[in-house]
Amino acid sequence: MTNRVNEIDRQAALWLAKLDRDASASDKAAFEAWLAADIRHRGAYLRAKTVMAHVNRHRFPLRARFKFPQPGTMSRRWMMFGGAGTAIAASLAAAFFLTAPITTPELPVSYATGLGEHRDVHLADGSVMTLDAATKLTVRLTKDRREIALLQGQALFQVAKNKARPFIVSAHGIGVRAVGTRFAVRAVEQQPLRVLVEEGIVRVESDHPLAELTANMRATVSASGTVTSNTVAPQELAQDLAWRDGRLVFRRATLSEAAQEFARYSSTRIVIPDPAIAKLTITGAFDGTNPSGFAMAVAHSLDLAAIPGTHEIRLIRKNS
Amino acid sequence: MAESFPYTRAQDNKRPAAAFDRPEPAGSQAQISWLEQNLLPHEREIRAWLRKKRVSDVEIDDIIQETYARIGTLDDLSVITSPKHYAFQVAHSILLNHLRRRAIVSITAEGDLDTLGVACDQASPEEEVAQREELTRVVDTIATLPQRTREVLLLRRVAGLSQRETADRLAIAEKTVEKHLARAALILMNQFGRGIKARERNRPDISDSND
């Protein structure tokens, strides 16, 4: 069994790598023909994608275990832009920086995700931001500060240690300051700012320090700057961060809160006309990109009817 | 993964296929994620079960590939309430088809129809240990990859850089990134689910051409 390579597996691996970048129309046609030629081809290809997804699922612990090749001084500059835009923008920026004198980029760079989209952004200082769906933020890196303005949504920040250059995430007029740590900030409309700390220490501040949070703490910050914090079990923290894997986890959340959360993931809205139903609570983990699946599960467990429409799904009383 | 979290019964173990996925040539994100959580973890066991039935290694590969194809193309995976049992059933029906095609029906294989022995999805103690060891396995596998292949896999799939960015970070051509990625995929396909130990693992040549 040693050294045995399944030929179909080998072809599937080659296709996976080829389609990993923008493939030409003729490549795509050849791929479709290959898929159609034998059911085992499709299976091997799905399996190739599955083992890659398996690696990807462990990406957070893996990031801590392996040393990553760091960008050289030349590519460091455009890495920021590479993350910022399309491949075209990246190559333009690269072309520009290869020919132009390099200056410190002090201009803020914007990053945004659409409905249901997730994105990892690697900053030039080695920090990594994971943006949840429907999130907007800007990054400004200077010699002595790393400033992130979270305009909308939520993101997890894995901060590269650098005492001389504090990492500050601001949202709703509040600053969350870290030196080297991992924490998440959530700034969703009509909800208090929420901060989760996975590792290290962060300080919540407005014009003056408000609170200091340590690992496994969750805090909400009201508009007036009142900080309510408590320590949570690591599993609970992981549930709050389940969005990293595209899952939404609710603990006794009202249906209207859940519907609001799904609205950040899909253009299909969950509509609950009856306020009494909107107040019912649900507990569970759901696929964020599948509001219909959620609505049907809810209908099933709470004895309601889920009525699908074109761009919405309505949760109503049965027989009404 | 063992979850301490109380799922609602209706959602337990279900990762329904999203109806909103962007069209993918093969395998939407939801389908792949379902396969990763519900088929890959049982693949080793299915292979062992087929091996016990004296199915040849080559044919086991065929059956596994076909199982991925059959399950991975279902529109609604949410109807599968017992993924492990279902995977065994699919593998078994494919095996029976193969046997029929060969027109030689093995008594052992047919006789086992009702005794799949995987009636429930409760993780056995062995499985729980296996799940805990999974991260170690992933780490070990990646650690034993040839250096460049490992770097490409880490940057592209763990750090989430694009293929272009990966090429630039390593100062190599995109075509080379593609080759290493293909090699990484093949090695991982040989390791995960099939359970070939890192030490006896081959370093398959992904292409006939030299570097």
Side-chain angles (χ1 to χ4, degrees):
Chain A
M1 135 166 284
T2 311
N3 280 326
R4 188 172 63 83
V5 175
N6 181 292
E7 175 55 25
I8 294 175
D9 281 353
R10 195 183 70 90
Q11 290 170 10
L14 287 170
W15 275 118
L16 178 97
K18 189 179 264 307
L19 298 176
D20 191 53
R21 52 177 168 154
D22 290 332
S24 68
S26 63
D27 277 346
K28 279 180 191 155
F31 174 65
E32 289 295 339
W34 178 79
L35 274 186
D38 188 320
I39 188 167
R40 291 173 298 172
H41 292 181
R42 187 179 291 274
Y45 182 73
L46 289 170
R47 189 164 167 271
K49 283 182 92 165
T50 301
V51 297
M52 285 304 202
H54 192 55
V55 170
N56 192 255
R57 180 147 72 89
H58 292 99
R59 66 193 181 280
F60 291 97
L62 287 175
R63 277 176 198 165
R65 305 257 184 135
F66 286 99
K67 238 180 124 152
F68 285 79
Q70 288 307 307
T73 34
M74 210 48 140
S75 54
R76 187 183 298 255
R77 307 293 174 193
W78 75 259
M79 267 302 297
M80 285 192 52
F81 290 84
T86 62
I88 294 168
S91 55
L92 283 179
F96 175 75
F97 279 111
L98 287 174
T99 52
I102 292 164
T103 52
T104 315
E106 298 230 337
L107 289 172
V109 183
S110 306
Y111 299 91
T113 49
L115 293 179
E117 189 191 352
H118 284 147
R119 185 155 168 207
D120 286 342
V121 176
H122 296 254
L123 299 176
D125 68 327
S127 299
V128 183
M129 314 188 290
T130 305
L131 276 63
D132 189 15
T135 296
K136 268 188 206 155
L137 54 76
T138 64
V139 177
R140 192 164 159 269
L141 299 178
T142 66
K143 277 200 312 294
D144 46 10
R145 280 164 89 85
R146 296 169 284 178
E147 293 172 355
I148 317 292
L150 178 61
L151 308 173
Q152 186 188 308
Q154 66 182 333
L156 176 75
F157 304 93
Q158 165 109 46
V159 182
K161 274 206 175 72
N162 187 342
K163 279 198 176 135
R165 243 173 133 197
F167 191 102
I168 303 159
V169 178
S170 57
H172 291 185
I174 301 290
V176 183
R177 174 193 290 258
V179 180
T181 179
R182 191 158 71 223
F183 67 103
V185 180
R186 177 185 161 96
V188 171
E189 247 178 284
Q190 294 167 356
Q191 288 180 19
L193 185 78
R194 195 184 71 183
V195 181
L196 289 169
V197 183
E198 264 197 323
E199 258 176 43
I201 300 174
V202 303
R203 195 189 303 148
V204 182
E205 57 194 19
S206 55
D207 46 1
H208 58 282
L210 295 171
E212 202 160 85
L213 306 173
T214 53
N216 294 323
M217 280 182 91
R218 175 169 54 204
T220 54
V221 189
S222 73
S224 59
T226 311
V227 180
T228 318
S229 66
N230 59 319
T231 303
V232 295
Q235 301 95 298
E236 204 174 320
L237 202 74
Q239 286 160 16
D240 281 339
L241 292 170
W243 57 262
R244 291 186 295 201
D245 303 318
R247 273 190 310 158
L248 298 177
V249 177
F250 302 115
R251 275 183 303 269
R252 294 175 297 281
T254 65
L255 291 184
S256 72
E257 284 164 350
Q260 198 187 348
E261 202 58 27
F262 269 102
R264 302 177 47 246
Y265 275 74
S266 166
S267 55
T268 299
R269 298 290 165 136
I270 297 169
V271 180
I272 311 158
D274 184 341
I277 293 178
K279 274 193 222 137
L280 297 174
T281 60
I282 184 91
T283 293
F286 303 92
D287 178 353
T289 59
N290 188 357
S292 308
F294 166 77
M296 282 185 283
V298 165
H300 180 76
S301 20
L302 298 176
D303 204 28
L304 302 168
I307 314 292
T310 350
H311 299 296
E312 60 175 47
I313 181 155
R314 293 158 67 86
L315 276 173
I316 55 174
R317 238 176 260 287
K318 268 191 180 164
N319 308 319
S320 71
Chain B
M1 274 281 137
E3 280 266 12
S4 61
F5 188 71
Y7 285 78
T8 57
R9 193 58 228 170
Q11 271 306 106
D12 199 1
N13 256 326
K14 287 187 190 176
R15 297 294 310 263
F20 314 94
D21 274 346
R22 276 174 292 236
E24 289 275 341
S28 69
Q29 217 181 326
Q31 284 166 329
I32 296 298
S33 139
W34 193 96
L35 292 174
E36 194 263 325
Q37 296 192 27
N38 297 306
L39 181 53
L40 187 64
H42 308 306
E43 189 184 316
R44 195 184 303 262
E45 230 181 302
I46 297 173
R47 283 179 187 273
W49 178 71
L50 289 168
R51 213 168 290 129
K52 240 191 270 172
K53 295 188 172 306
R54 301 191 195 169
V55 180
S56 74
D57 282 345
V58 175
E59 195 162 8
I60 290 176
D61 281 355
D62 288 351
I63 292 170
I64 293 292
Q65 284 162 349
E66 211 173 320
T67 305
Y68 273 84
R70 292 269 187 87
I71 300 181
T73 48
L74 293 175
D75 282 334
D76 188 7
L77 292 164
S78 67
V79 296
I80 300 170
T81 48
S82 172
K84 183 174 168 185
H85 191 143
Y86 187 77
F88 270 86
Q89 273 184 331
V90 170
H92 191 245
S93 82
I94 294 168
L95 171 65
L96 291 183
N97 275 339
H98 279 221
L99 294 174
R100 259 172 227 131
R101 231 181 286 155
R102 286 201 316 220
I104 303 163
V105 177
S106 149
I107 303 291
T108 353
E110 283 283 12
D112 258 21
L113 243 180
D114 298 318
T115 52
L116 284 174
V118 282
C120 74
D121 270 283
Q122 212 60 45
S124 63
E126 293 82 6
E127 278 178 318
E128 278 176 15
V129 173
Q131 282 167 357
R132 256 179 279 131
E133 285 172 351
E134 194 49 34
L135 175 63
T136 319
R137 190 199 312 280
V138 173
V139 169
D140 287 351
T141 306
I142 294 177
T144 50
L145 292 175
Q147 186 190 343
R148 205 16 85 79
T149 304
R150 180 175 65 242
E151 286 173 348
V152 165
L153 180 74
L154 286 174
L155 289 177
R156 179 68 191 91
R157 290 299 162 126
V158 177
L161 266 59
S162 71
Q163 199 168 108
R164 174 80 253 161
E165 290 165 339
T166 305
D168 281 297
R169 175 80 66 103
L170 297 171
I172 55 178
E174 264 192 88
K175 191 75 200 162
T176 314
V177 171
E178 188 185 312
K179 206 186 103 183
H180 285 290
L181 199 62
R183 179 182 290 162
L186 186 57
I187 294 173
L188 298 182
M189 285 167 88
N190 270 348
Q191 291 258 333
F192 297 156
R194 204 173 279 163
I196 296 172
K197 283 193 202 110
R199 255 174 251 299
E200 57 191 71
R201 178 196 34 78
N202 44 58
R203 289 188 178 180
D205 210 4
I206 195 66
S207 63
D208 302 326
S209 66
N210 290 320
D211 220 15

